[in-house]
């Protein structure tokens, strides 16, 4: 997914706020669903972040065109881990590893069904 850095993403010096890298990654995850005609909020529940590990290598700036790549690292009974990398041109500037857990709408952890696992594989295991 490509994302342009806009003024609202930056401080007065034109540098992207650190929290916006997380937003960019969230948009890329959601876009993976939307691109296949799906919604990230499923009929029986939704995914929430359980653990995040982020590395900042270099700053993005106002006007930059960024590319976000997402890769499935691991899938367990009720969760999966993704690695997301943000590139400016061919240089990696940010990397995120995120553990996402599947919850019912009343907040209980729910096992991933075979269908949901297959969907996740179709979205992120490329």
């Amino acid at each position: 997914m490509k994302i342009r850095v806009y003024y609202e993403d930056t401080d007065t010096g034109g540098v992207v706020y650190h929290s916006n890298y997380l937003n960019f990654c969230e948009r890329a995850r959601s876009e993976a669903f939307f691109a296949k005609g799906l919604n990230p909020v499923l009929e029986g529940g939704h995914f929430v972040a359980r653990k995040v590990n982020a590395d900042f290598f270099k700053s993005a700036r106002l006007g930059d065109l960024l590319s976000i790549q997402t890769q499935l690292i691991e899938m367990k009974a009720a969760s999966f881990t993704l690695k997301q990398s943000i590139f400016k041109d061919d240089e990696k500037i940010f990397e995120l590893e995120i553990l996402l857990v599947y919850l019912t709408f009343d907040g209980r952890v729910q096992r991933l069904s075979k269908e949901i696992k297959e969907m996740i594989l179709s979205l992120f295991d490329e």
Side-chain angles (χ1 to χ4, degrees):
M1 178 179 166
K2 302 260 188 218
I3 289 182
R4 174 79 61 193
V5 175
Y6 293 103
Y7 187 73
E8 67 188 23
D9 300 319
T10 67
D11 62 17
T12 57
V15 176
V16 171
Y17 291 113
H18 70 282
S19 61
N20 281 341
Y21 294 93
L22 301 175
N23 295 337
F24 296 158
C25 289
E26 174 67 37
R27 288 182 203 157
R29 290 192 305 274
S30 294
E31 188 58 35
F33 283 85
F34 298 143
K36 296 214 176 180
L38 302 170
N39 192 313
V41 178
L42 306 178
E43 191 173 307
H46 56 108
F47 303 102
V48 297
R50 165 73 172 83
K51 184 177 181 181
V52 173
N53 184 18
D55 280 326
F56 299 84
F57 305 114
K58 195 171 185 180
S59 296
R61 302 187 61 80
L62 179 63
D64 286 348
L65 185 60
L66 307 177
S67 174
I68 297 119
Q69 297 176 3
T70 304
Q71 155 184 24
L72 180 65
I73 301 297
E74 180 180 39
M75 192 175 320
K76 293 187 175 180
S79 66
F80 62 100
T81 302
L82 297 175
K83 180 170 89 172
Q84 293 186 273
S85 302
I86 299 180
F87 293 85
K88 178 184 167 191
D89 300 320
D90 292 328
E91 183 178 12
K92 185 188 295 187
I93 63 169
F94 176 80
E95 186 171 271
L96 171 77
E97 195 166 295
I98 185 166
L99 173 65
L100 295 158
V101 177
Y102 186 56
L103 297 181
T104 61
F105 293 115
D106 61 358
R108 290 180 290 123
V109 174
Q110 178 73 31
R111 291 181 70 85
L112 299 170
S113 67
K114 180 182 180 221
E115 293 78 21
I116 292 174
K117 285 183 177 184
E118 289 173 356
M119 177 192 60
I120 292 166
L121 286 169
S122 77
L123 296 173
F124 302 116
D125 194 34
E126 299 174 2

